[in-house]
Amino acid sequence: MIILALDVYERKRALKIAEETKDYLWAIKINWPLILGSGIGIIGELKEKTGLPVIADLKVADIPNTNKLIAKKVFDNGADYIIVHGFVGRDSVRAVMEEGSTIIVVEMSHPGAEEFMQPITDRLIEMANELKPFGVVAPGTRPERIRYIREKLDGDIKIFTPGIGAQGGKAKEALKAGADYIIVGRAIYNADNPREAVKSLWGELNAED
């Protein structure tokens, strides 16, 4: 249930952290920093190094043709999932889903998401229920919003929650609110010992209350 957000630039550092933490992870999520710093080939390297799924968190948000071109390149390089913004509309989201397994952002974890995203969350949930992506992104920093989204979302659609750790989100609270996966970045990759950091989190999540 733990996903590592590997938001670093350096290829060697990324591969080292991935190798150290893989035993306690469900998947690795990479974003623009790692792709820009190490090249798109890092997707395949991470998969080979860890045997784990890789989520390309590019938050794709463009016209259908551009979205399709981006998604195709990412999936051709071995990504298992891609994250796309829903606010660009059904046609743009469908273009990504035609290429592979997709996760739609319905609400983000930072404070600014309350300005423009939260007011349209209901419509984004409706879109997700219609299009049936693999999952959606909901804010781990606001458990009440996870709960709200879970109540309205089709039960087969998974909820991914970023914002756990450095942004203040609590892993157990997110899971209790209805999250399926928690996404943790800085609290693991900036730790003095990333393996011990993720092991401790894994132990906390698997301990009986």
Side-chain angles (χ1 to χ4, degrees), residues 43-65:
I43 296 173
E45 290 188 88
L46 284 168
K47 287 175 66 70
E48 183 178 352
K49 192 81 168 177
T50 66
L52 297 174
V54 172
I55 302 169
D57 181 11
L58 305 185
K59 294 188 177 69
V60 183
D62 217 309
I63 65 170
N65 186 62

Side-chain angles (χ1 to χ4, degrees), residues 8 10 25 28 46 63 83 124 134 164-165 207:
V8 300
E10 307 87 354
L25 302 176
I28 294 173
L46 284 168
I63 65 170
I83 296 179
L124 295 174
F134 179 77
I164 305 298

Side-chain angles (χ1 to χ4, degrees), residues 28-48:
I28 294 173
K29 181 177 77 71
I30 65 170
N31 206 325
W32 285 110
L34 186 54
I35 290 177
L36 291 173
S38 303
I40 199 167
I42 192 67
I43 296 173
E45 290 188 88
L46 284 168
K47 287 175 66 70
E48 183 178 352

Side-chain angles (χ1 to χ4, degrees), residues 108-177:
M108 295 174 73
S109 57
H110 65 301
E114 295 179 279
E115 291 184 71
F116 299 110
M117 291 205 71
Q118 191 168 307
I120 64 167
T121 294
D122 283 353
R123 295 184 65 186
L124 295 174
I125 294 170
E126 289 174 10
M127 178 194 296
N129 285 339
E130 175 190 328
L131 298 182
K132 309 296 185 197
F134 179 77
V136 302
V137 173
T141 49
R142 294 187 286 280
E144 73 280 3
R145 296 299 295 169
I146 301 173
R147 191 171 293 109
Y148 178 85
I149 291 165
R150 181 73 279 170
E151 288 172 356
K152 291 180 173 291
L153 190 68
D154 187 302
D156 293 332
I157 300 173
K158 306 296 185 184
I159 292 181
F160 294 76
T161 53
I164 305 298
Q167 289 188 57
K170 306 298 183 185
K172 274 202 167 183
E173 287 183 16
L175 292 175
K176 287 178 180 178

